[in-house]
Coordinates of all heavy atoms in Angstrom, one line a residue:
M1 N -22.2 27.4 -61.9 CA -22.4 28.2 -60.6 C -23.7 28.7 -60.5 O -24.3 29.1 -61.4 CB -21.3 29.4 -60.8 CG -21.4 30.3 -59.5 SD -20.2 31.7 -59.6 CE -18.8 30.7 -59.2
S2 N -24.2 28.7 -59.4 CA -25.6 29.1 -59.0 C -25.8 30.6 -59.0 O -24.8 31.3 -58.5 CB -26.0 28.5 -57.7 OG -27.3 29.0 -57.3
T3 N -26.8 31.1 -59.6 CA -27.1 32.5 -59.5 C -28.0 32.8 -58.4 O -28.2 34.0 -58.2 CB -27.7 33.0 -60.9 OG1 -28.9 32.3 -61.0 CG2 -26.8 32.7 -62.0
H4 N -28.4 31.9 -57.6 CA -29.3 32.2 -56.5 C -28.5 32.5 -55.2 O -27.4 32.0 -55.0 CB -30.2 30.9 -56.2 CG -31.1 30.5 -57.4 ND1 -32.1 31.2 -57.8 CD2 -30.9 29.5 -58.3 CE1 -32.6 30.7 -58.8 NE2 -31.9 29.6 -59.2
S5 N -29.1 33.4 -54.4 CA -28.5 33.7 -53.2 C -28.4 32.6 -52.3 O -29.4 31.7 -52.3 CB -29.3 34.9 -52.5 OG -28.9 35.1 -51.2
P6 N -27.3 32.4 -51.6 CA -27.3 31.2 -50.7 C -28.3 31.3 -49.5 O -28.7 30.4 -48.9 CB -25.9 31.3 -50.1 CG -25.3 32.5 -50.4 CD -26.2 33.2 -51.5
T7 N -28.8 32.6 -49.2 CA -29.8 32.7 -48.3 C -30.9 33.7 -48.7 O -30.8 34.9 -48.7 CB -29.3 33.3 -46.9 OG1 -28.1 32.5 -46.5 CG2 -30.3 33.3 -45.9
P8 N -31.8 33.1 -49.4 CA -32.9 34.0 -50.0 C -33.6 34.8 -48.9 O -33.7 34.3 -47.9 CB -33.8 33.1 -50.7 CG -33.0 31.9 -51.0 CD -32.1 31.7 -49.9
A9 N -34.1 35.9 -49.3 CA -34.9 36.8 -48.4 C -36.1 36.0 -48.0 O -36.8 35.4 -48.8 CB -35.3 38.1 -49.1
T10 N -36.3 35.9 -46.6 CA -37.4 35.2 -46.1 C -38.1 36.1 -45.1 O -37.5 36.8 -44.2 CB -36.8 34.0 -45.2 OG1 -36.1 33.1 -46.1 CG2 -37.9 33.2 -44.7
D11 N -39.4 36.1 -45.2 CA -40.3 36.8 -44.2 C -41.3 35.9 -43.5 O -41.8 35.0 -44.2 CB -41.1 38.0 -45.0 CG -40.3 39.1 -45.6 OD1 -39.4 39.6 -44.9 OD2 -40.4 39.4 -46.8
I12 N -41.5 36.2 -42.3 CA -42.5 35.4 -41.5 C -43.5 36.3 -40.9 O -43.1 37.3 -40.2 CB -41.8 34.5 -40.5 CG1 -40.7 33.6 -41.1 CG2 -42.8 33.7 -39.7 CD1 -39.9 32.9 -40.1
F13 N -44.8 36.0 -41.1 CA -45.8 36.8 -40.6 C -46.7 35.9 -39.7 O -46.8 34.7 -40.0 CB -46.7 37.4 -41.7 CG -45.9 38.2 -42.7 CD1 -45.5 37.5 -43.8 CD2 -45.7 39.5 -42.5 CE1 -44.8 38.3 -44.8 CE2 -45.0 40.2 -43.4 CZ -44.5 39.7 -44.6
A14 N -47.3 36.4 -38.6 CA -48.2 35.6 -37.8 C -49.6 36.3 -37.7 O -49.7 37.5 -37.7 CB -47.6 35.4 -36.4
S15 N -50.6 35.4 -37.7 CA -51.9 35.9 -37.4 C -52.6 35.0 -36.3 O -51.9 34.1 -35.9 CB -52.8 35.9 -38.7 OG -53.1 34.6 -39.0
D16 N -53.8 35.3 -36.0 CA -54.4 34.4 -35.0 C -54.8 33.0 -35.5 O -54.9 32.1 -34.7 CB -55.8 35.0 -34.6 CG -55.6 36.3 -33.7 OD1 -54.5 36.6 -33.2 OD2 -56.6 37.1 -33.7
T17 N -54.7 32.8 -36.9 CA -55.0 31.5 -37.4 C -53.9 30.8 -38.1 O -54.0 29.5 -38.4 CB -56.2 31.7 -38.4 OG1 -55.8 32.6 -39.5 CG2 -57.5 32.3 -37.8
A18 N -52.7 31.5 -38.5 CA -51.7 30.9 -39.2 C -50.5 31.7 -39.1 O -50.5 32.9 -38.7 CB -52.1 30.7 -40.6
W19 N -49.4 31.0 -39.5 CA -48.1 31.7 -39.7 C -47.9 31.6 -41.3 O -48.3 30.6 -41.9 CB -46.9 30.9 -39.1 CG -46.9 31.0 -37.6 CD1 -46.5 32.0 -36.8 CD2 -47.5 30.0 -36.7 NE1 -46.7 31.7 -35.5 CE2 -47.3 30.5 -35.3 CE3 -48.1 28.8 -36.9 CZ2 -47.7 29.7 -34.3 CZ3 -48.6 28.1 -35.8 CH2 -48.3 28.6 -34.5
L20 N -47.4 32.6 -41.9 CA -47.1 32.7 -43.3 C -45.7 33.0 -43.5 O -45.1 33.8 -43.0 CB -47.9 33.8 -43.9 CG -47.7 33.9 -45.4 CD1 -48.2 32.6 -46.2 CD2 -48.5 35.0 -46.0
L21 N -45.0 32.1 -44.3 CA -43.6 32.2 -44.6 C -43.5 32.5 -46.1 O -44.2 31.9 -47.0 CB -43.0 30.9 -44.3 CG -41.5 30.7 -44.7 CD1 -40.6 31.4 -43.8 CD2 -41.2 29.1 -44.6
R22 N -42.8 33.5 -46.4 CA -42.5 34.0 -47.9 C -41.1 34.0 -48.1 O -40.3 34.6 -47.3 CB -43.2 35.3 -48.1 CG -44.6 35.3 -48.0 CD -45.2 36.6 -48.6 NE -46.7 36.5 -48.7 CZ -47.4 37.5 -48.3 NH1 -47.0 38.6 -48.1 NH2 -48.8 37.3 -48.4
V23 N -40.7 33.3 -49.2 CA -39.3 33.1 -49.5 C -39.1 33.6 -51.0 O -39.8 33.1 -51.8 CB -38.8 31.7 -49.4 CG1 -37.3 31.6 -49.6 CG2 -39.1 31.1 -47.9
D24 N -38.2 34.5 -51.3 CA -37.9 35.0 -52.5 C -37.0 34.0 -53.2 O -35.9 33.7 -52.8 CB -37.2 36.3 -52.5 CG -38.1 37.5 -52.1 OD1 -39.3 37.3 -52.3 OD2 -37.6 38.5 -51.6
L25 N -37.6 33.3 -54.4 CA -36.7 32.3 -55.1 C -36.9 32.6 -56.6 O -37.5 31.7 -57.3 CB -37.3 30.9 -54.7 CG -37.1 30.5 -53.3 CD1 -37.9 29.2 -53.0 CD2 -35.6 30.2 -53.0
P26 N -36.5 33.7 -57.0 CA -36.6 34.0 -58.5 C -35.9 33.0 -59.3 O -34.8 32.6 -59.1 CB -36.0 35.4 -58.7 CG -35.0 35.5 -57.4 CD -35.7 34.7 -56.4
G27 N -36.6 32.5 -60.4 CA -35.9 31.6 -61.4 C -36.1 30.2 -61.0 O -35.6 29.3 -61.7
V28 N -36.6 29.9 -59.8 CA -36.8 28.5 -59.3 C -38.1 28.0 -59.8 O -39.2 28.7 -59.6 CB -36.7 28.4 -57.8 CG1 -36.9 27.0 -57.3 CG2 -35.3 28.9 -57.4
S29 N -38.2 26.8 -60.4 CA -39.5 26.2 -60.9 C -40.1 25.4 -59.7 O -39.4 24.9 -58.9 CB -39.2 25.3 -62.1 OG -38.5 24.1 -61.7
P30 N -41.4 25.3 -59.8 CA -42.1 24.4 -58.8 C -41.6 23.0 -58.8 O -41.6 22.4 -57.7 CB -43.6 24.5 -59.2 CG -43.7 25.7 -60.1 CD -42.3 25.9 -60.7
E31 N -41.2 22.5 -60.0 CA -40.8 21.1 -60.1 C -39.4 20.9 -59.3 O -39.2 19.8 -58.9 CB -40.5 20.7 -61.5 CG -41.8 20.8 -62.4 CD -42.2 22.2 -62.8 OE1 -41.4 23.0 -62.9 OE2 -43.5 22.3 -63.1
S32 N -38.7 22.0 -59.1 CA -37.4 21.8 -58.5 C -37.4 22.0 -56.9 O -36.5 21.7 -56.2 CB -36.3 22.7 -59.0 OG -36.6 24.0 -58.7
L33 N -38.6 22.5 -56.4 CA -38.8 22.7 -55.1 C -39.3 21.5 -54.3 O -40.1 20.8 -54.8 CB -39.8 23.9 -54.8 CG -39.2 25.3 -55.0 CD1 -40.3 26.3 -54.9 CD2 -38.2 25.6 -54.0
S34 N -38.9 21.5 -53.0 CA -39.4 20.5 -52.1 C -39.7 21.1 -50.8 O -38.9 21.8 -50.2 CB -38.4 19.3 -51.9 OG -38.8 18.4 -50.9
V35 N -40.9 20.9 -50.3 CA -41.3 21.5 -48.9 C -41.8 20.2 -48.1 O -42.8 19.5 -48.5 CB -42.4 22.6 -49.0 CG1 -42.8 23.1 -47.6 CG2 -41.9 23.7 -50.0
T36 N -41.2 20.0 -47.0 CA -41.6 18.8 -46.2 C -41.7 19.3 -44.7 O -41.0 20.2 -44.3 CB -40.6 17.7 -46.3 OG1 -39.4 18.1 -45.8 CG2 -40.6 17.1 -47.7
A37 N -42.5 18.6 -43.9 CA -42.7 18.8 -42.6 C -42.6 17.5 -41.9 O -43.4 16.6 -42.2 CB -43.9 19.7 -42.2
D38 N -41.8 17.3 -40.8 CA -41.7 16.1 -40.1 C -42.3 16.2 -38.7 O -42.1 15.3 -37.9 CB -40.3 15.6 -40.0 CG -39.5 16.5 -39.0 OD1 -40.0 17.4 -38.4 OD2 -38.3 16.1 -38.8
G39 N -43.0 17.2 -38.5 CA -43.7 17.4 -37.2 C -43.1 18.5 -36.3 O -43.8 19.2 -35.7
T40 N -41.8 18.6 -36.4 CA -41.1 19.7 -35.7 C -40.3 20.6 -36.6 O -39.8 21.6 -36.1 CB -40.3 19.2 -34.5 OG1 -39.2 18.3 -35.1 CG2 -41.1 18.3 -33.6
V41 N -40.0 20.2 -37.8 CA -39.1 20.9 -38.7 C -39.7 20.9 -40.1 O -40.2 20.0 -40.6 CB -37.7 20.2 -38.7 CG1 -36.9 21.0 -39.8 CG2 -37.1 20.1 -37.5
L42 N -39.7 22.2 -40.6 CA -40.1 22.5 -42.0 C -38.8 22.6 -42.8 O -38.0 23.4 -42.4 CB -40.9 23.8 -42.1 CG -41.3 24.2 -43.4 CD1 -42.6 23.3 -43.8 CD2 -41.8 25.6 -43.5
T43 N -38.7 21.9 -43.9 CA -37.5 21.8 -44.7 C -37.9 22.3 -46.1 O -39.0 21.7 -46.7 CB -36.9 20.5 -44.8 OG1 -36.5 20.0 -43.5 CG2 -35.6 20.5 -45.7
I44 N -37.2 23.3 -46.7 CA -37.5 23.7 -48.0 C -36.2 23.6 -48.7 O -35.1 24.1 -48.2 CB -37.9 25.3 -48.0 CG1 -39.2 25.4 -47.1 CG2 -38.1 25.7 -49.5 CD1 -39.5 26.9 -46.8
S45 N -36.3 23.0 -49.9 CA -35.0 22.8 -50.7 C -35.4 23.1 -52.2 O -36.5 22.8 -52.6 CB -34.3 21.5 -50.5 OG -35.2 20.5 -50.9
A46 N -34.3 23.5 -52.9 CA -34.4 23.7 -54.3 C -33.4 22.7 -55.0 O -32.2 22.9 -54.6 CB -34.2 25.1 -54.8
A47 N -33.7 21.9 -55.8 CA -32.9 20.9 -56.3 C -32.0 21.4 -57.4 O -32.4 22.4 -58.2 CB -33.7 19.7 -57.0
A48 N -30.8 20.9 -57.4 CA -29.9 21.3 -58.5 C -30.1 20.2 -59.6 O -30.7 19.3 -59.5 CB -28.5 21.3 -58.0
E49 N -29.3 20.5 -60.7 CA -29.4 19.5 -61.8 C -28.6 18.3 -61.5 O -27.6 18.3 -60.8 CB -28.9 20.2 -63.1 CG -29.8 21.4 -63.5 CD -29.2 22.1 -64.8 OE1 -28.5 21.5 -65.4 OE2 -29.8 23.2 -65.0
N50 N -28.8 17.2 -62.2 CA -28.0 16.0 -62.2 C -27.7 15.4 -60.9 O -26.7 15.0 -60.5 CB -26.7 16.3 -62.8 CG -26.7 16.8 -64.3 OD1 -27.7 16.3 -65.0 ND2 -25.9 17.8 -64.7
D51 N -28.8 15.3 -60.0 CA -28.7 14.8 -58.7 C -27.6 15.3 -57.8 O -27.0 14.7 -56.9 CB -28.6 13.2 -58.9 CG -29.8 12.6 -59.5 OD1 -30.9 13.1 -59.2 OD2 -29.7 11.6 -60.3
A52 N -27.1 16.6 -58.1 CA -26.3 17.2 -57.2 C -26.9 17.6 -55.9 O -28.1 17.6 -55.8 CB -25.7 18.4 -57.9
P53 N -26.2 18.0 -54.9 CA -26.7 18.5 -53.6 C -27.7 19.7 -53.9 O -27.5 20.3 -55.0 CB -25.6 18.9 -52.8 CG -24.4 18.1 -53.3 CD -24.7 18.0 -54.7
P54 N -28.7 19.9 -53.0 CA -29.6 21.0 -53.3 C -28.8 22.3 -53.5 O -27.8 22.5 -52.8 CB -30.5 21.1 -52.0 CG -30.3 19.7 -51.5 CD -29.0 19.2 -51.8
Q55 N -29.4 23.2 -54.4 CA -28.7 24.4 -54.6 C -29.1 25.4 -53.5 O -28.5 26.5 -53.2 CB -29.1 25.0 -56.0 CG -30.5 25.4 -56.2 CD -30.8 26.0 -57.5 OE1 -30.2 25.7 -58.5 NE2 -31.8 26.9 -57.6
W56 N -30.1 25.1 -52.8 CA -30.6 25.9 -51.7 C -31.3 25.0 -50.7 O -32.2 24.2 -51.1 CB -31.5 27.1 -52.1 CG -31.9 27.9 -51.0 CD1 -31.1 28.9 -50.5 CD2 -33.1 27.9 -50.3 NE1 -31.9 29.5 -49.4 CE2 -33.0 29.0 -49.4 CE3 -34.3 27.2 -50.4 CZ2 -34.1 29.2 -48.5 CZ3 -35.3 27.5 -49.6 CH2 -35.2 28.5 -48.6
L57 N -31.1 25.1 -49.4 CA -31.7 24.3 -48.4 C -31.9 25.2 -47.1 O -31.0 25.8 -46.7 CB -30.9 23.1 -48.0 CG -31.4 22.2 -46.9 CD1 -32.6 21.4 -47.3 CD2 -30.3 21.3 -46.4
R58 N -33.1 25.1 -46.5 CA -33.4 25.8 -45.3 C -34.3 25.0 -44.5 O -35.3 24.5 -44.9 CB -34.2 27.1 -45.7 CG -34.5 28.0 -44.5 CD -33.7 29.1 -44.3 NE -33.8 29.8 -43.1 CZ -34.2 31.1 -42.9 NH1 -34.4 31.8 -44.0 NH2 -34.4 31.6 -41.7
R59 N -33.9 24.9 -43.2 CA -34.7 24.2 -42.2 C -35.1 25.1 -41.1 O -34.3 25.9 -40.6 CB -33.8 23.0 -41.6 CG -33.6 21.9 -42.5 CD -33.0 20.6 -41.8 NE -32.8 19.6 -42.8 CZ -31.7 19.3 -43.3 NH1 -30.6 19.9 -42.9 NH2 -31.6 18.2 -44.1
L60 N -36.5 25.0 -40.8 CA -36.9 26.0 -39.8 C -37.7 25.2 -38.8 O -38.5 24.2 -39.1 CB -38.0 26.9 -40.4 CG -37.4 27.8 -41.5 CD1 -38.5 28.5 -42.3 CD2 -36.6 28.9 -40.9
S61 N -37.5 25.5 -37.5 CA -38.3 24.8 -36.5 C -39.8 25.3 -36.5 O -40.1 26.4 -36.6 CB -37.7 25.1 -35.1 OG -36.4 24.6 -34.9
L62 N -40.7 24.3 -36.5 CA -42.1 24.7 -36.5 C -42.5 25.1 -35.1 O -42.1 24.5 -34.1 CB -42.9 23.5 -37.0 CG -42.8 23.1 -38.5 CD1 -43.5 21.8 -38.7 CD2 -43.4 24.3 -39.3
P63 N -43.3 26.2 -35.1 CA -43.7 26.6 -33.8 C -44.7 25.6 -33.1 O -45.4 24.9 -33.8 CB -44.4 28.0 -34.1 CG -44.7 27.9 -35.5 CD -43.8 27.0 -36.1
R64 N -44.8 25.7 -31.8 CA -45.8 24.8 -31.1 C -47.1 25.3 -31.6 O -47.4 26.5 -31.7 CB -45.6 25.1 -29.6 CG -46.5 24.2 -28.8 CD -46.3 24.3 -27.3 NE -44.9 24.7 -27.0 CZ -44.5 24.9 -25.8 NH1 -45.3 24.6 -24.8 NH2 -43.3 25.3 -25.5
G65 N -48.0 24.4 -31.8 CA -49.3 24.7 -32.2 C -49.5 24.7 -33.7 O -50.6 25.0 -34.3
A66 N -48.5 24.3 -34.5 CA -48.5 24.2 -35.9 C -49.3 23.0 -36.3 O -49.1 21.9 -35.8 CB -47.1 24.3 -36.5
D67 N -50.2 23.1 -37.3 CA -51.0 22.1 -37.8 C -50.3 21.5 -39.0 O -50.7 21.9 -40.1 CB -52.4 22.6 -38.1 CG -53.4 21.5 -38.5 OD1 -52.9 20.3 -38.7 OD2 -54.6 21.8 -38.6
V68 N -49.4 20.6 -38.8 CA -48.5 20.0 -39.9 C -49.4 19.3 -41.0 O -48.9 19.2 -42.1 CB -47.4 19.2 -39.4 CG1 -46.4 20.1 -38.6 CG2 -47.8 18.1 -38.6
D69 N -50.5 18.8 -40.6 CA -51.4 18.1 -41.6 C -52.0 19.0 -42.6 O -52.5 18.5 -43.6 CB -52.4 17.2 -40.9 CG -51.8 16.2 -40.0 OD1 -50.7 15.6 -40.4 OD2 -52.4 15.8 -38.9
H70 N -52.0 20.3 -42.4 CA -52.8 21.2 -43.3 C -51.8 22.4 -43.8 O -52.3 23.3 -44.2 CB -53.9 21.8 -42.6 CG -54.9 20.7 -42.3 ND1 -55.0 20.2 -41.0 CD2 -55.8 20.1 -43.0 CE1 -56.0 19.2 -41.1 NE2 -56.5 19.2 -42.3
I71 N -50.5 22.2 -43.8 CA -49.6 23.1 -44.3 C -49.8 23.1 -45.9 O -50.0 22.1 -46.5 CB -48.1 22.8 -44.0 CG1 -47.9 22.9 -42.5 CG2 -47.2 23.7 -44.8 CD1 -46.6 22.6 -42.1
A72 N -49.8 24.3 -46.4 CA -50.0 24.5 -47.9 C -48.9 25.5 -48.4 O -48.5 26.4 -47.7 CB -51.3 25.1 -48.1
A73 N -48.4 25.1 -49.7 CA -47.4 26.0 -50.3 C -47.8 26.3 -51.8 O -48.4 25.5 -52.4 CB -46.1 25.2 -50.2
T74 N -47.4 27.5 -52.1 CA -47.6 27.9 -53.6 C -46.4 28.8 -54.0 O -45.6 29.3 -53.2 CB -48.8 28.8 -53.8 OG1 -48.7 30.0 -52.9 CG2 -50.1 28.1 -53.4
L75 N -46.1 28.7 -55.3 CA -44.9 29.5 -55.8 C -45.6 30.3 -56.9 O -46.1 29.8 -57.9 CB -43.9 28.5 -56.4 CG -42.7 29.2 -57.0 CD1 -41.8 29.9 -55.9 CD2 -41.8 28.3 -57.8
T76 N -45.5 31.7 -56.7 CA -46.1 32.6 -57.7 C -45.1 33.7 -57.9 O -44.6 34.3 -57.0 CB -47.4 33.2 -57.1 OG1 -48.3 32.2 -56.7 CG2 -48.0 34.1 -58.0
D77 N -44.7 33.9 -59.1 CA -43.8 35.1 -59.5 C -42.5 35.0 -58.7 O -42.1 36.0 -58.3 CB -44.5 36.4 -59.4 CG -45.7 36.5 -60.3 OD1 -45.6 35.9 -61.4 OD2 -46.6 37.2 -60.0
G78 N -42.0 33.8 -58.5 CA -40.7 33.7 -57.8 C -40.7 33.8 -56.3 O -39.7 33.9 -55.6
V79 N -41.9 33.9 -55.7 CA -42.2 33.9 -54.2 C -42.8 32.7 -53.8 O -43.9 32.4 -54.2 CB -42.9 35.2 -53.8 CG1 -43.1 35.3 -52.4 CG2 -42.2 36.5 -54.3
L80 N -42.1 31.9 -52.9 CA -42.8 30.7 -52.3 C -43.5 31.2 -51.0 O -42.9 31.9 -50.2 CB -41.7 29.7 -52.0 CG -42.2 28.5 -51.1 CD1 -43.1 27.7 -52.0 CD2 -40.9 27.7 -50.6
S81 N -44.7 30.9 -51.0 CA -45.6 31.2 -49.8 C -46.0 29.9 -49.1 O -46.5 29.0 -49.7 CB -46.9 31.9 -50.2 OG -46.5 33.2 -50.8
V82 N -45.7 29.7 -47.8 CA -46.0 28.6 -47.1 C -46.9 28.9 -45.9 O -46.5 29.9 -45.1 CB -44.8 27.9 -46.5 CG1 -45.2 26.6 -45.8 CG2 -43.8 27.5 -47.7
E83 N -48.2 28.4 -45.9 CA -49.1 28.8 -44.9 C -49.1 27.6 -43.9 O -49.4 26.4 -44.2 CB -50.5 29.0 -45.5 CG -51.5 29.4 -44.3 CD -52.9 29.8 -44.8 OE1 -53.1 29.8 -46.1 OE2 -53.7 30.0 -44.0
I84 N -48.8 28.0 -42.6 CA -48.8 27.0 -41.6 C -50.0 27.3 -40.6 O -49.9 28.2 -39.8 CB -47.5 27.0 -40.8 CG1 -46.3 26.8 -41.8 CG2 -47.5 25.9 -39.7 CD1 -45.0 27.2 -41.2
P85 N -51.1 26.6 -40.8 CA -52.2 26.9 -39.9 C -51.9 26.6 -38.3 O -51.1 25.7 -38.1 CB -53.3 26.0 -40.4 CG -52.8 25.4 -41.7 CD -51.3 25.5 -41.7
R86 N -52.5 27.3 -37.5 CA -52.4 27.1 -36.1 C -53.6 26.1 -35.7 O -54.6 26.1 -36.3 CB -52.7 28.4 -35.3 CG -51.6 29.4 -35.5 CD -51.9 30.7 -34.6 NE -51.0 31.7 -34.9 CZ -50.1 32.1 -34.0 NH1 -50.0 31.6 -32.8 NH2 -49.2 33.1 -34.2
T87 N -53.2 25.3 -34.8 CA -54.2 24.4 -34.3 C -54.6 24.8 -32.8 O -53.7 25.4 -32.1 CB -53.7 22.9 -34.3 OG1 -54.7 22.1 -33.7 CG2 -52.4 22.7 -33.5
D88 N -55.7 24.6 -32.4 CA -56.1 25.0 -31.1 C -55.8 23.9 -30.0 O -56.1 24.0 -28.9 CB -57.6 25.4 -31.0 CG -58.5 24.2 -31.5 OD1 -58.0 23.1 -31.7 OD2 -59.7 24.5 -31.5
R89 N -55.1 22.8 -30.5 CA -54.9 21.7 -29.5 C -53.6 22.0 -28.7 O -53.4 21.3 -27.7 CB -54.6 20.5 -30.3 CG -55.8 20.0 -31.0 CD -55.5 18.7 -31.8 NE -54.6 19.1 -32.9 CZ -54.3 18.3 -33.9 NH1 -54.7 17.1 -33.9 NH2 -53.6 18.8 -34.9
S90 N -52.8 23.0 -29.0 CA -51.6 23.1 -28.2 C -51.8 23.8 -26.8 O -51.1 23.5 -25.9 CB -50.6 24.0 -29.1 OG -51.1 25.3 -29.2
V91 N -52.8 24.7 -26.8 CA -53.0 25.3 -25.4 C -54.5 25.3 -25.3 O -55.3 25.8 -26.1 CB -52.4 26.8 -25.4 CG1 -52.9 27.4 -24.2 CG2 -51.0 26.8 -25.6
R92 N -55.0 24.9 -24.2 CA -56.4 25.0 -23.9 C -56.7 25.2 -22.4 O -55.8 24.8 -21.6 CB -57.1 23.7 -24.3 CG -56.7 22.4 -23.5 CD -57.4 21.2 -24.1 NE -57.0 20.0 -23.3 CZ -57.8 19.5 -22.3 NH1 -58.9 20.1 -21.9 NH2 -57.3 18.5 -21.6
A93 N -57.7 25.9 -22.1 CA -58.1 26.1 -20.7 C -58.7 24.9 -20.1 O -59.4 24.2 -20.8 CB -59.1 27.2 -20.7
I94 N -58.3 24.7 -18.9 CA -58.9 23.4 -18.2 C -59.7 24.0 -17.1 O -59.2 24.7 -16.2 CB -57.7 22.6 -17.6 CG1 -56.8 22.1 -18.8 CG2 -58.2 21.4 -16.8 CD1 -55.5 21.4 -18.4
A95 N -60.9 23.5 -17.1 CA -61.9 23.9 -16.1 C -61.5 23.3 -14.7 O -61.1 22.2 -14.6 CB -63.3 23.5 -16.4
I96 N -61.6 24.0 -13.7 CA -61.4 23.6 -12.3 C -62.6 23.4 -11.7 O -63.5 24.3 -11.5 CB -60.5 24.6 -11.5 CG1 -59.2 24.9 -12.3 CG2 -60.3 24.1 -10.1 CD1 -58.4 26.0 -11.8
G97 N -62.8 22.1 -11.3 CA -64.1 21.7 -10.7 C -64.2 21.6 -9.3 O -63.3 21.7 -8.4

């Protein structure tokens, strides 16, 4: 039986340059975590033992303007931090000539 919460506490912060996602995952090792981005969805999962289904899985829609090529993740003291940089390509001013 898993001792992890089925929905770990998750915080999302926004700045002018990035979105920061923090997920409380005490007791989860970096080797058991998977973070993927397919262009529109960020998927975070923690693997269970013996090829069983993930013990935890969360899918989040990425915001418009997310720079999926430069997403970075770290796990420190049981907190997963995912930085999603903003790209300036999503909205731009168009000069009227």
Side-chain angles (χ1 to χ4, degrees):
M1 179 178 283
S2 174
T3 59
H4 301 287
S5 169
T7 307
T10 303
D11 295 310
I12 301 173
F13 305 94
S15 72
D16 291 339
T17 59
W19 293 276
L20 180 62
L21 175 70
R22 289 194 180 136
V23 183
D24 290 337
L25 295 171
V28 175
S29 69
E31 297 80 22
S32 69
L33 278 175
S34 172
V35 179
T36 61
D38 73 0
T40 60
V41 176
L42 180 75
T43 302
I44 303 168
S45 63
E49 296 179 16
N50 302 324
D51 296 323
Q55 68 182 30
W56 184 78
L57 175 71
R58 176 104 190 241
R59 288 189 178 104
L60 301 160
S61 294
L62 288 167
R64 186 179 328 186
D67 186 354
V68 296
D69 293 330
H70 295 98
I71 294 174
T74 58
L75 182 67
T76 305
D77 297 328
V79 178
L80 175 67
S81 296
V82 180
E83 183 176 357
I84 306 165
R86 292 180 186 250
T87 179
D88 58 2
R89 294 179 291 193
S90 63
V91 177
R92 66 181 181 97
I94 299 172
I96 300 172

